[in-house]
Amino acid sequence: MNAPFQPAAAVSLAPKIAAVLAELGDIPVLTEEKVVKKRSRDFFWYSPILNVELADKFADIVALPRNEADVIAIAAACARHRVPLTPRAGGTGNYGQAVPINRGVLIDMSGLDTIEWIKPGTIRVGAGAKLNEIDNETRKTGWELRMHPSTKRSATIGGFVAGGSGGVGSVMYGGLRELGNILAARIITLEETPRIIELRGDAAQKVNRAYGTTGLITALEMPLAPAWDWHDVIIAFDDYKACLEFGQDAARADGVIKKLLSPIAWPLPDYFGSLKPHCPDGKAILACMVAQPSLESFLALLNGRGEVTLNAPTREEPGATPLYEYTWNHTTLQMLKADRTITYLQCLFPHDRLISSILEMAALFPEEVIPHCEFIRFGGNLTASALPVVRYTTKERLYEIIAAHEAHGVMIANPHVITLEDGSRHKRADADQMGFKAEVDPHGLLNPGKMRSYVATQA
Amino acid sequence: MNAPFQPAAAVSLAPKIAAVLAELGDIPVLTEEKVVKKRSRDFFWYSPILNVELADKFADIVALPRNEADVIAIAAACARHRVPLTPRAGGTGNYGQAVPINRGVLIDMSGLDTIEWIKPGTIRVGAGAKLNEIDNETRKTGWELRMHPSTKRSATIGGFVAGGSGGVGSVMYGGLRELGNILAARIITLEETPRIIELRGDAAQKVNRAYGTTGLITALEMPLAPAWDWHDVIIAFDDYKACLEFGQDAARADGVIKKLLSPIAWPLPDYFGSLKPHCPDGKAILACMVAQPSLESFLALLNGRGEVTLNAPTREEPGATPLYEYTWNHTTLQMLKADRTITYLQCLFPHDRLISSILEMAALFPEEVIPHCEFIRFGGNLTASALPVVRYTTKERLYEIIAAHEAHGVMIANPHVITLEDGSRHKRADADQMGFKAEVDPHGLLNPGKMRSYVATQA
């Protein structure tokens, strides 16, 4: 892999920053180093490799736009003075998406949180709106977002689209990349006279998981799903295979409405804090969210194969901890709280030999790699992504484990790298995204270093 | 195949009927022969074979229960006097489900049309409620039935569950047989002291497509789906293969909400009456229902592969003809209106070589079998059922065509037979249903002749 992007200009940024600051008028900014440093971080420390690599990466200032006009003013100033601009919001990512590799301005989009409208089945909302606040509003009319990351209670919709791929809900709808899961994105270009571009339908994929390198997302139009009365269910199984088999059966039951099916191997549930009483010693668990009207069918399908240790309405209010905060990358976090020596991987298993592939990989690294999967739909098939916990020793060993997965036909989206290319399952930047970047970021100033293969057209 | 069931008792039914009539009190009955004969029919005439076989099958009287107490009284009287009892409602079936093979009492369940309650995502309703009236009510709170036959505007929910298998909506949820698509059924047994049995969850499958042989359904609890703003869309393709390919892509797009994807080969659309202006000469069409918020994504997926000839909100009010009345077995009906020499088959194609299998069968019978498929989910996979139109010559030739399909791995649910066994893809009665029948119909009086392999336990 290449070293992070380091243009020669990096050392002489101070006068440019001053010039930008002078042009921002009444737009709020943060300049105090301690505060700026704190805001320049995300959850990249899940990776021991990124934790070292990104330790000294900070912005010079943080700009806090209140609306789209402010975003345009900030973009124009950065373009004029050739200052790198890195967007962030909730900062809940794990790949250093929001970490400014090359200093410059960090633009915190959280202020753009207005809901423009809610229609039956769709919402148009500012990119900075928090996911839980969106759901709180849409639920009033019977709707909710189709999917959300396990960080729903602190992440924003713009951050999810720019830095995420799917999550709770993807077992029904697939990830954000599936057609129809992002209806439109409104972006601002990084030019001296910034343009506003509305990307509709498939075109909106140009900003999906591009870390903000392909334009500053100011608004999103997203599809909604019915807001079911969800129940958190935990089922304990004697072994992981039985857990996977029932999970797959439930995932494939098209008449059973669910939002989450997470098979998690022991000893991960041993780290589940307040949930521990529902996680019997030595058992694998399936963490589930099931729509209330489907609960009876869901349990009939189980037919005694496992023990139901929790079955209660999902609670997300302050003070409660929803089950989904023990799934996806929160599973890793639960163990990290107790054991900082572990890290994780991101796998996508082949759909046509799903369970055998998962078990094959688990058998290759007993004790060292602890299985944790997430059933999802992907490209029209049911499959599983996975965020197994890895007992970390060295970078070399981690890459051996990655290579072994790939050699066995398991795709890896490496979460220990900062570039889109290295983190992609295909080890390259999306061609559409790269072509589009040339249009919207001719000077290569948007979150520089993240799209490694991009060469600025007007450097 | 066996001949229809004809017990020796059939000739001496008149005194028994008189005895039953005397016990029915103020329960409305129809006794005029002309009226009873008319009510004893369904749409079995789609099959030239059944049209002959069932021509002289009628009930003696029709009972019109107003509520469950009436149903119990009718069941008790029939049990006491050993009189066959055959349930019907809309009479929209095509297999003679509602035709009394062995005379007796026809019980028209249409009067049991009360909606007990509607909750978010579920409804409990009398078996005689019409499907369109259910949707009209549930739509007031944003819900609708997950699926319905193309006869929605005249069929009842009880008839659909007792005599149907799936329909418009099965491309999302699978058929009625999939877990969760029938939540509960309340039935009355055919005994001298009838019992009321509540079948919940998987147990409700005991009455699904059993033609009323396993109990008289009085109420059903059904899951609901969000009531989308549906659009009727027709897309014309130069050839059927392209039509199938796009249909499959759309069916597999988990982020695109649809209710109907029906690939229909030319010349079927030539018979589509008021829809003909949207069906260009010589083209295959894909008849679709797509949720309004998914329309843009759906058309983006099409990407110019076919020509959109209709795109308008679904209209179901009197005077309008919804697109779905040109799909499922309404497709056959449209052609039958002009050409009484045709009939049809019911196929289920293998999901793992779907398009090649459909094209293979079409190539075997050019001109003679005209392809018409319906994309559905089945057992967790996307596949297609089909109701191809067959240019009918002889029964022998029809069975040759059926045998050729089966020899090529295409399952046939034969619609030219009246028994559950012969009409099943597996050529046998469901073991659960057969075992259950012994419990609820010890005298073998419920719709006799339809479950051929059942031998009455107390004959």
Side-chain angles (χ1 to χ4, degrees):
Chain A
M1 290 171 299
N2 297 17
F5 175 77
Q6 288 283 10
V11 288
S12 57
L13 215 51
K16 294 182 175 187
I17 295 288
V20 166
L21 265 176
E23 289 180 20
L24 293 189
D26 66 346
I27 299 173
V29 289
L30 303 171
T31 55
E32 194 190 337
E33 189 179 331
K34 192 175 141 198
V35 175
V36 172
K37 284 194 166 183
K38 198 176 165 201
R39 294 277 186 122
S40 299
R41 295 173 64 82
D42 62 18
F43 284 80
F44 62 80
W45 55 267
Y46 279 33
S47 162
I49 297 169
L50 296 186
N51 196 31
V52 172
E53 220 171 272
L54 298 180
D56 63 346
K57 306 298 176 197
F58 307 110
D60 292 282
I61 63 166
V62 180
L64 302 165
R66 299 154 297 186
N67 48 46
E68 193 180 62
D70 284 358
V71 175
I72 292 172
I74 295 162
C78 286
R80 269 195 295 276
H81 300 289
R82 304 292 193 266
V83 170
L85 182 60
T86 299
R88 73 161 273 151
T92 57
N94 296 112
Y95 324 122
Q97 294 105 306
V99 178
I101 301 302
N102 197 36
R103 305 193 67 99
V105 178
L106 194 63
I107 182 170
D108 185 333
M109 306 296 282
S110 307
L112 281 76
D113 61 354
T114 308
I115 293 177
E116 292 180 36
W117 46 253
I118 300 171
K119 295 177 186 171
T122 34
I123 184 172
R124 185 151 178 127
V125 61
K130 285 212 176 120
L131 297 169
N132 66 340
E133 283 165 14
I134 292 172
D135 270 5
N136 288 344
E137 285 305 307
T138 54
R139 278 188 160 265
K140 291 174 187 168
T141 54
W143 299 94
E144 64 181 22
L145 290 166
R146 283 185 178 176
M147 68 194 74
H148 61 79
S150 64
T151 51
K152 176 183 175 187
R153 300 204 292 180
S154 49
T156 63
I157 186 70
F160 184 38
V161 166
S165 59
V168 184
S170 292
V171 70
M172 290 286 282
Y173 295 100
L176 287 166
R177 71 183 284 283
E178 300 291 340
L179 189 72
N181 284 341
I182 306 172
L183 297 175
R186 183 174 161 108
I187 63 153
I188 306 301
T189 64
L190 212 288
E191 298 174 287
E192 292 174 36
T193 306
R195 287 170 296 148
I196 299 170
I197 300 179
E198 176 86 4
L199 300 167
R200 294 206 64 85
D202 209 31
Q205 290 297 329
K206 291 171 180 173
V207 297
N208 179 21
R209 210 179 186 183
Y211 300 172
T213 59
T214 54
L216 296 160
I217 308 171
T218 57
L220 286 159
E221 207 171 301
M222 301 295 282
L224 299 174
W228 291 100
D229 177 9
W230 296 110
H231 276 235
D232 289 344
V233 180
I234 295 179
I235 308 171
F237 295 86
D238 287 342
D239 63 82
Y240 197 56
K241 181 163 180 271
C243 181
L244 290 170
E245 285 170 345
F246 171 68
Q248 183 174 247
D249 288 351
R252 290 168 57 95
D254 291 310
V256 175
I257 309 294
K258 56 265 168 184
K259 197 170 182 179
L260 181 73
L261 289 172
S262 316
I264 302 170
W266 186 263
L268 291 175
D270 202 20
Y271 298 88
F272 277 10
S274 63
L275 216 60
K276 183 65 185 63
H278 307 287
C279 304
D281 275 357
K283 306 265 185 178
I285 64 160
L286 188 72
C288 320
M289 287 174 70
V290 179
Q292 189 277 327
S294 287
L295 266 178
E296 192 175 347
S297 305
F298 177 77
L299 296 175
L301 182 65
L302 180 63
N303 194 22
R305 284 185 274 180
E307 183 198 353
V308 177
T309 59
L310 175 70
N311 182 353
T314 302
R315 291 176 55 206
E316 299 182 281
E317 70 272 19
T321 307
L323 182 59
Y324 64 71
E325 290 191 2
Y326 294 87
T327 67
W328 289 85
N329 224 359
H330 262 81
T331 310
T332 317
L333 179 61
Q334 299 301 341
M335 185 159 176
L336 270 171
K337 284 179 187 169
D339 182 350
R340 283 296 186 106
T341 70
I342 61 106
T343 187
Y344 73 113
L345 283 179
Q346 295 181 147
C347 315
L348 181 68
F349 287 97
H351 70 88
D352 51 356
R353 49 185 178 92
L354 180 56
I355 292 181
S356 64
S357 174
I358 295 169
L359 295 175
E360 180 182 44
M361 297 319 299
L364 276 184
F365 304 103
E367 309 292 322
E368 193 174 10
V369 178
I370 311 170
H372 158 214
C373 296
E374 298 288 347
F375 285 104
I376 58 165
R377 297 198 64 84
F378 186 93
N381 296 305
L382 176 76
T383 187
S385 62
L387 300 106
V389 164
V390 178
R391 296 196 193 274
Y392 185 74
T393 47
T394 65
K395 182 173 175 177
E396 290 65 36
R397 178 58 182 164
L398 187 65
Y399 275 85
E400 275 176 25
I401 296 169
I402 290 174
H405 278 76
E406 291 176 335
H408 284 79
V410 179
M411 296 184 98
I412 296 283
N414 186 352
H416 304 282
V417 294
I418 57 159
T419 69
L420 290 167
E421 291 86 342
D422 297 325
S424 143
R425 290 187 314 274
H426 304 289
K427 313 303 175 208
R428 61 174 186 270
D430 180 281
D432 267 11
Q433 291 186 344
M434 186 124 102
F436 187 61
K437 183 168 173 71
E439 287 179 43
V440 300
D441 185 23
H443 308 295
L445 297 168
L446 273 173
N447 205 349
K450 302 295 171 65
M451 190 186 280
R452 159 164 73 68
S453 43
Y454 175 71
V455 179
T457 53
Q458 299 176 26
Chain B
M1 289 172 301
N2 296 18
F5 176 76
Q6 289 284 10
V11 287
S12 58
L13 215 51
K16 295 183 174 186
I17 296 289
V20 166
L21 264 176
E23 290 182 18
L24 293 190
D26 67 345
I27 298 173
V29 289
L30 303 171
T31 55
E32 195 190 336
E33 189 180 332
K34 194 176 139 195
V35 175
V36 172
K37 283 194 167 183
K38 199 176 164 200
R39 293 275 186 121
S40 298
R41 296 173 63 82
D42 63 14
F43 284 79
F44 62 79
W45 55 269
Y46 279 34
S47 161
I49 296 169
L50 296 187
N51 196 32
V52 172
E53 217 170 274
L54 297 180
D56 62 346
K57 306 299 177 199
F58 307 109
D60 291 283
I61 62 166
V62 181
L64 302 165
R66 297 153 298 185
N67 49 47
E68 194 179 64
D70 285 357
V71 174
I72 292 172
I74 296 163
C78 286
R80 268 195 295 275
H81 300 289
R82 304 293 194 264
V83 170
L85 182 59
T86 299
R88 70 161 275 152
T92 57
N94 296 113
Y95 323 122
Q97 294 104 307
V99 177
I101 301 303
N102 198 35
R103 307 191 66 100
V105 177
L106 194 63
I107 183 169
D108 184 334
M109 307 294 283
S110 306
L112 280 77
D113 61 353
T114 308
I115 292 177
E116 292 180 37
W117 46 253
I118 300 171
K119 296 178 186 170
T122 34
I123 184 173
R124 181 142 181 135
V125 62
K130 286 217 177 111
L131 297 168
N132 67 339
E133 284 165 13
I134 293 173
D135 271 6
N136 288 345
E137 285 305 306
T138 54
R139 278 189 160 266
K140 291 174 186 167
T141 53
W143 299 94
E144 63 181 23
L145 290 166
R146 283 184 177 176
M147 68 193 74
H148 62 78
S150 63
T151 51
K152 176 182 173 188
R153 300 205 292 179
S154 48
T156 63
I157 187 71
F160 183 38
V161 166
S165 59
V168 183
S170 292
V171 69
M172 292 284 284
Y173 296 99
L176 287 167
R177 70 182 284 284
E178 300 291 341
L179 190 72
N181 285 340
I182 305 172
L183 296 175
R186 181 173 163 106
I187 64 155
I188 305 300
T189 63
L190 212 288
E191 298 175 287
E192 293 175 36
T193 305
R195 287 170 296 147
I196 299 170
I197 301 179
E198 175 88 3
L199 300 167
R200 293 207 64 87
D202 210 30
Q205 290 297 328
K206 291 172 181 173
V207 296
N208 179 22
R209 211 179 186 184
Y211 301 173
T213 59
T214 54
L216 296 160
I217 308 171
T218 57
L220 287 159
E221 207 171 301
M222 301 294 285
L224 300 173
W228 291 100
D229 178 9
W230 296 110
H231 277 235
D232 289 343
V233 180
I234 294 179
I235 308 171
F237 295 86
D238 287 341
D239 63 83
Y240 197 57
K241 180 163 181 269
C243 181
L244 289 170
E245 285 169 346
F246 170 68
Q248 182 174 248
D249 288 352
R252 289 167 58 94
D254 292 309
V256 174
I257 309 296
K258 57 266 167 181
K259 196 170 180 179
L260 181 72
L261 290 172
S262 317
I264 302 170
W266 186 262
L268 292 175
D270 202 20
Y271 297 88
F272 277 10
S274 64
L275 215 61
K276 184 65 186 62
H278 307 288
C279 304
D281 276 356
K283 305 265 186 177
I285 64 161
L286 188 73
C288 319
M289 286 175 71
V290 180
Q292 189 279 328
S294 286
L295 267 178
E296 192 175 349
S297 305
F298 177 76
L299 297 174
L301 182 65
L302 180 62
N303 194 23
R305 284 184 275 179
E307 182 198 354
V308 178
T309 59
L310 175 71
N311 183 350
T314 302
R315 291 178 54 210
E316 299 181 282
E317 69 273 21
T321 307
L323 182 58
Y324 64 71
E325 289 190 2
Y326 294 88
T327 67
W328 289 84
N329 225 0
H330 262 81
T331 310
T332 317
L333 178 62
Q334 300 299 340
M335 187 159 174
L336 270 171
K337 284 179 188 168
D339 183 349
R340 283 293 187 108
T341 71
I342 60 108
T343 187
Y344 73 111
L345 283 179
Q346 295 182 145
C347 315
L348 181 68
F349 288 98
H351 71 87
D352 51 356
R353 50 187 178 92
L354 180 56
I355 292 181
S356 64
S357 174
I358 296 169
L359 295 175
E360 180 181 42
M361 296 320 298
L364 276 184
F365 304 102
E367 310 294 321
E368 193 175 7
V369 179
I370 312 170
H372 159 213
C373 295
E374 298 289 346
F375 284 105
I376 58 166
R377 296 198 66 83
F378 186 93
N381 295 304
L382 177 75
T383 186
S385 61
L387 300 105
V389 164
V390 178
R391 295 195 195 274
Y392 184 73
T393 49
T394 65
K395 183 173 173 177
E396 291 64 38
R397 178 59 181 162
L398 186 66
Y399 276 85
E400 274 176 30
I401 295 170
I402 290 174
H405 278 75
E406 291 177 335
H408 284 80
V410 179
M411 296 183 101
I412 296 285
N414 187 353
H416 304 282
V417 293
I418 57 159
T419 67
L420 290 166
E421 292 85 342
D422 298 325
S424 143
R425 290 187 315 276
H426 303 289
K427 313 303 175 207
R428 62 173 186 269
D430 181 282
D432 268 7
Q433 291 186 344
M434 186 127 98
F436 188 60
K437 184 170 175 65
E439 287 179 43
V440 300
D441 184 22
H443 308 295
L445 296 168
L446 274 173
N447 206 348
K450 300 300 170 60
M451 190 186 277
R452 158 162 76 67
S453 43
Y454 175 70
V455 178
T457 53
Q458 300 177 25

